[in-house]
């Protein structure tokens, strides 16, 4: 071990001494075991190569994820380990943020290279969703719904996804025409069509469109189209976890589109992953593992930003419902199912590195929702002059 690595090791072990919420069992590459913390949920961290620490220093939590994918470290309790890190400020201070050069470089990639222009959005969306329907079929519910479910006692994932769709449908205004912006594989479009709505649904993913077309079989119109290319008006608009792919620069355009496409007396229902209002200014000024490796061009709003951008466009929030713990549960089920079907996924041609990246993403999100670092909300909007 060279002097620089030894110094980083000493700093890292000192930071772990500050754990106040939870118990961490650490195993070093040399086989030494340490135990930090005195009470709370237990987690384990197995460092297999000390190069994990330079990754952390240079690239923050992006480096943490990259180290996991590379096998520099492992944990049998990944979600618990990431939750422990999120709950303990001492672990984030000095380790969670990248160095200045790398931070600037990642922000430039997010904001320029992966800009959500008409062309860029197609490229960004397809990078995530066109990895193959066969992969997603291994771990999503049979309805192929890739957004948070809404659980009640006794629900399995399929029932909870149907409950989510049912709640959205219950918030809509009267009228038959319904536009869905970002339809995925057609699960909500199918539920809406079964309720008698005339559904127009759009996606930028060729894989999703092909699947949704076959699924709906003429019961809804599925278009390969950008939201900025829409025309006409609709009695209701639904957009489920699509705003995260819009990008901050285009939020005004997105909400202006909702306003322009919504008929008088209509309703918009958004389901959105959010960060806390108080943390948004810090979040927007940096990058993270999700934006670098999972959703290129992505950006989470906060509830205050949704209300602000809606108001600027002439829309007003009628009601909102938050259910972040349900998303933690959804992510756990997805990840457990994916790992149970690991051998099948490998036979499809994906490798271990690919799977480790998806495991880190899903368990990391579960940790973020469980510790309230993220939330998910359903927001109902109406024309501003129609809200009493």
């Amino acid at each position: 071990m060279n002097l620089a690595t030894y110094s980083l090791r000493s700093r890292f072990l000192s930071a772990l001494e500050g754990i106040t919420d939870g118990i961490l069992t650490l195993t070093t590459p040399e086989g030494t075991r340490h135990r930090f913390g005195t009470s709370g949920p237990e987690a384990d961290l197995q460092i297999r190569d000390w190069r994990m620490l330079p990754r952390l220093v240079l690239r923050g939590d992006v480096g943490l994820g990259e180290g996991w994918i590379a096998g520099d470290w492992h944990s049998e309790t990944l979600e618990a380990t990431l939750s422990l890190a999120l709950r303990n400020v001492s672990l984030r201070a000095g380790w969670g943020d990248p160095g200045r050069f790398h931070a600037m470089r990642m922000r430039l990639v997010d904001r320029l290279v992966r800009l959500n222009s008409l062309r860029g959005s197609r490229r960004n969306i397809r990078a995530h969703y066109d990895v193959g329907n066969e992969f997603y079929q291994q771990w999503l519910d049979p309805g192929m719904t890739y957004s948070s479910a809404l659980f009640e006692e006794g629900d399995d994932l399929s029932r909870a996804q149907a409950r989510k769709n049912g709640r959205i449908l219950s918030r809509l205004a009267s009228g038959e025409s319904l536009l869905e912006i970002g339809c995925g594989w057609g699960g909500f479009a199918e539920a809406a069509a079964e309720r008698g709505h005339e559904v127009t649904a759009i996606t930028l993913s060729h894989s999703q469109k092909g699947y949704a077309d076959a699924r709906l079989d003429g019961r809804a119109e599925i278009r390969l189209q950008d939201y900025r290319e829409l025309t006409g008006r609709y009695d209701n608009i639904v957009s489920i976890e699509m705003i995260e792919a819009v990008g901050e620069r285009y939020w005004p355009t997105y909400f202006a589109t909702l306003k322009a496409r919504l008929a008088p007396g209509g309703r918009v229902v958004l389901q959105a992953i959010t960060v806390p209002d108080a943390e948004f200014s810090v979040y927007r000024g940096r990058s993270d593992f999700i934006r670098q490796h999972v959703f290129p061009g992505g950006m989470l709003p906060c509830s205050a930003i949704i209300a602000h951008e809606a108001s600027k466009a002439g829309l007003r929030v009628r009601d909102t419902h938050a259910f972040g713990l349900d998303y933690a549960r959804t992510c756990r089920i997805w990840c457990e199912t994916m790992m149970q079907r690991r051998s099948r996924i490998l036979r499809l041609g994906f490798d271990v590195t690919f799977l480790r990246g998806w495991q880190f993403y899903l368990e990391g999100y579960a940790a973020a929702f469980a510790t309230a670092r993220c939330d998910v909300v359903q927001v109902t909007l109406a024309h501003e002059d129609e809200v009493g």
Side-chain angles (χ1 to χ4, degrees), residues 87-152:
R87 293 195 310 269
N88 288 271
V89 177
S90 65
L91 300 187
R92 301 198 300 272
W95 298 98
D97 294 321
R100 183 176 299 177
F101 171 77
H102 288 275
M104 181 173 63
R105 183 179 179 184
M106 288 188 285
R107 286 198 299 271
L108 287 174
V109 168
D110 288 341
R111 297 182 182 188
L112 296 179
V113 178
R114 295 170 173 176
L115 187 67
N116 283 303
S117 61
L118 285 169
R119 183 177 180 180
S121 286
R122 288 176 168 86
R123 181 179 61 249
N124 290 336
I125 290 297
R126 290 168 188 169
H128 185 81
Y129 291 100
D130 284 357
V131 298
N133 292 339
E134 297 85 355
F135 168 64
Y136 289 100
Q137 284 175 310
Q138 296 303 313
W139 52 275
L140 294 179
D141 70 293
M144 290 285 282
T145 301
Y146 189 26
S147 56
S148 180
L150 181 62
F151 289 90
E152 287 193 3

Side-chain angles (χ1 to χ4, degrees), residues 73-280:
W73 66 280
H74 188 72
S75 174
E76 296 298 328
T77 59
L78 180 56
E79 181 194 336
T81 300
L82 297 175
S83 293
L84 185 148
L86 290 172
R87 293 195 310 269
N88 288 271
V89 177
S90 65
L91 300 187
R92 301 198 300 272
W95 298 98
D97 294 321
R100 183 176 299 177
F101 171 77
H102 288 275
M104 181 173 63
R105 183 179 179 184
M106 288 188 285
R107 286 198 299 271
L108 287 174
V109 168
D110 288 341
R111 297 182 182 188
L112 296 179
V113 178
R114 295 170 173 176
L115 187 67
N116 283 303
S117 61
L118 285 169
R119 183 177 180 180
S121 286
R122 288 176 168 86
R123 181 179 61 249
N124 290 336
I125 290 297
R126 290 168 188 169
H128 185 81
Y129 291 100
D130 284 357
V131 298
N133 292 339
E134 297 85 355
F135 168 64
Y136 289 100
Q137 284 175 310
Q138 296 303 313
W139 52 275
L140 294 179
D141 70 293
M144 290 285 282
T145 301
Y146 189 26
S147 56
S148 180
L150 181 62
F151 289 90
E152 287 193 3
E153 187 175 354
D155 282 351
D156 61 9
L157 183 57
S158 293
R159 190 175 299 113
Q161 292 290 12
R163 189 179 306 284
K164 180 267 300 294
N165 289 338
R167 188 183 188 282
I168 292 173
L169 290 165
S170 75
R171 313 312 297 171
L172 302 181
S174 59
E176 294 182 352
S177 62
L178 186 151
L179 169 67
E180 185 181 9
I181 299 177
C183 68
W185 289 274
F188 177 80
E190 183 175 60
E194 289 174 351
R195 293 280 188 97
H197 290 281
E198 296 178 358
V199 179
T200 301
I202 65 171
T203 178
L204 292 177
S205 165
H206 288 282
S207 297
Q208 289 183 335
K209 182 184 185 302
Y211 189 99
D213 269 333
R215 175 184 197 154
L216 274 298
D217 193 23
R219 291 176 292 156
E221 181 183 2
I222 310 297
R223 300 178 185 171
L224 194 68
Q225 187 176 30
D226 191 281
Y227 69 93
R228 289 161 286 198
E229 299 170 329
L230 289 164
T231 59
R233 284 192 163 187
Y234 299 84
D235 298 316
N236 291 285
I237 302 174
V238 172
S239 190
I240 302 173
E241 295 181 26
M242 182 272 179
I243 190 175
E244 301 86 348
V246 169
E248 182 179 10
R249 177 173 175 175
Y250 295 98
W251 286 340
T253 304
Y254 175 76
F255 282 95
T257 299
L258 297 178
K259 169 69 175 178
R261 304 281 74 85
L262 185 65
R267 296 288 182 271
V268 176
V269 180
L270 304 180
Q271 182 164 311
I273 301 171
T274 61
V275 296
D277 290 348
E279 298 179 18
F280 179 74

Side-chain angles (χ1 to χ4, degrees), residues 1 38 42 50 88 93 102 106 122-123 133 140 190 214 219 236 277 284 286 300 309 311 320 323 384:
M1 184 186 301
T38 58
E42 297 214 19
W50 284 117
N88 288 271
H102 288 275
M106 288 188 285
R122 288 176 168 86
R123 181 179 61 249
N133 292 339
L140 294 179
E190 183 175 60
R219 291 176 292 156
N236 291 285
D277 290 348
R284 71 178 293 275
R286 59 191 297 271
L300 303 183
E309 293 291 346
S311 179
T320 183
F323 53 110
E384 195 164 32

